[in-house]
Amino acid sequence: MPCEAHRILWTGGWDSTFRVLYLALHGSRQIQPYYLYFEMRRSSALELEAIELIQKLFRERFPQAARRITRPIVIKVDGLPQNEELHQAYITLRNKSYLGDQYLSIADFATRFGLRSLELCIHKDDRAHMFIKDSIKQIQVDREVCYEIREDAEPEVLKIFGHFRFSILHLSKTDMSTIADINEFKDLLERTWFCHSPTRNNQPCGICNPCGYAIQEGMAYRLPMKSLFFYYLNQLSNIMARPIPKQTRQRILFLYSKITKHRI
């Protein structure tokens, strides 16, 4: 009897791509990726392009391992009716600390389709880590240590994260970079996408949360100078606790363009 496929949420980003490629090289089961498509989010097309390109390059380099990765199942989530119970659980957690609304969509997807043990790639420095770190139990799957939410966890944590399995909670992005380098696929991780609000020429914006997390987690080199500039300008505005006046902002941008020769 064939083994059940390893189900994993693949976003086209660094963490889930690392996990998919690592599993393909070192696992024994087929890998069934899922991708949640948000029509209203401009980055969705770029994420799918990244997944397609990475699969192609991985197939050329590791043809045998690549056979384990099946075609991603793409689920359109815009317009689905809201699960009020999950929404209330998310609001309760969100009131404690910031939690991206994608976790509500992911929980709704897993609940709606009855998926259990879907792997969700939350890593050590992820904002979501704080919500689950005290509510997990260690299990072993295919001789590999991973984690699930305990049955006695807070009801809201169980509702939002209870369908999932976590395998990279102990890793940072730089840890993954080192492991990928050893396994000769680090350059493929550089093809991943992370920005939620790309510019008109498909560059990271430097302002959205994923851009900020990339910079804070040691991946600033992945953003162009202009995007880094906007990130630090935005940080300055936050420190001042009020918006930078339009005239001042325009003057800063003018000086930036003179110094760097970049057109704004």
Side-chain angles (χ1 to χ4, degrees), residues 73-140:
I73 296 174
V74 179
I75 307 291
K76 291 185 177 182
V77 296
D78 297 278
L80 292 176
Q82 182 173 278
N83 182 315
E84 192 58 36
E85 188 178 359
L86 287 177
H87 182 72
Q88 288 303 317
Y90 167 76
I91 293 298
T92 299
L93 295 178
R94 178 68 176 79
N95 286 338
K96 295 180 181 179
S97 184
Y98 178 77
L99 181 67
D101 59 6
Q102 71 268 25
Y103 291 103
L104 173 58
S105 299
I106 294 167
D108 186 35
F109 155 70
T111 303
R112 190 179 300 274
F113 290 92
L115 292 175
R116 303 292 304 185
S117 303
L118 176 67
E119 191 162 326
L120 184 58
C121 295
I122 294 176
H123 66 285
K124 184 166 67 175
D125 300 319
D126 202 306
R127 285 292 186 93
H129 188 278
M130 66 164 287
F131 290 97
I132 64 173
K133 63 183 176 69
D134 296 324
S135 303
I136 52 176
K137 63 180 179 181
Q138 183 175 300
I139 61 172
Q140 196 166 42

Side-chain angles (χ1 to χ4, degrees), residues 64-248:
Q64 210 160 2
R67 293 194 190 104
R68 292 199 188 93
I69 308 174
T70 58
R71 188 178 183 83
I73 296 174
V74 179
I75 307 291
K76 291 185 177 182
V77 296
D78 297 278
L80 292 176
Q82 182 173 278
N83 182 315
E84 192 58 36
E85 188 178 359
L86 287 177
H87 182 72
Q88 288 303 317
Y90 167 76
I91 293 298
T92 299
L93 295 178
R94 178 68 176 79
N95 286 338
K96 295 180 181 179
S97 184
Y98 178 77
L99 181 67
D101 59 6
Q102 71 268 25
Y103 291 103
L104 173 58
S105 299
I106 294 167
D108 186 35
F109 155 70
T111 303
R112 190 179 300 274
F113 290 92
L115 292 175
R116 303 292 304 185
S117 303
L118 176 67
E119 191 162 326
L120 184 58
C121 295
I122 294 176
H123 66 285
K124 184 166 67 175
D125 300 319
D126 202 306
R127 285 292 186 93
H129 188 278
M130 66 164 287
F131 290 97
I132 64 173
K133 63 183 176 69
D134 296 324
S135 303
I136 52 176
K137 63 180 179 181
Q138 183 175 300
I139 61 172
Q140 196 166 42
V141 179
D142 298 339
R143 293 176 295 178
E144 183 182 44
V145 172
C146 56
Y147 304 89
E148 289 181 346
I149 302 298
R150 297 194 317 269
E151 291 79 5
D152 63 349
E154 293 180 18
E156 294 79 16
V157 173
L158 267 172
K159 285 184 174 70
I160 299 299
F161 296 104
H163 281 76
F164 307 114
R165 184 174 288 162
F166 313 94
S167 296
I168 59 170
L169 285 177
H170 60 296
L171 297 177
S172 66
K173 275 185 164 54
T174 50
D175 292 332
M176 288 181 252
S177 177
T178 300
I179 295 169
D181 200 16
I182 293 169
N183 286 273
E184 301 180 349
F185 66 83
K186 182 183 174 182
D187 59 312
L188 301 187
L189 293 186
E190 304 293 350
R191 304 278 190 157
T192 58
W193 187 258
F194 54 90
C195 175
H196 277 179
S197 303
T199 64
R200 282 176 294 181
N201 59 343
N202 291 336
Q203 293 292 316
C205 69
I207 297 173
C208 70
N209 285 331
C211 281
Y213 300 151
I215 292 167
Q216 294 158 19
E217 294 170 11
M219 299 286 162
Y221 70 90
R222 300 194 68 201
L223 285 81
M225 187 182 294
K226 180 178 177 180
S227 301
L228 287 172
F229 173 80
F230 281 120
Y231 168 77
Y232 288 112
L233 184 62
N234 193 51
Q235 291 297 104
L236 177 61
S237 177
N238 291 338
I239 291 169
M240 294 171 63
R242 62 179 184 274
I244 297 174
K246 183 177 180 181
Q247 190 174 4
T248 304

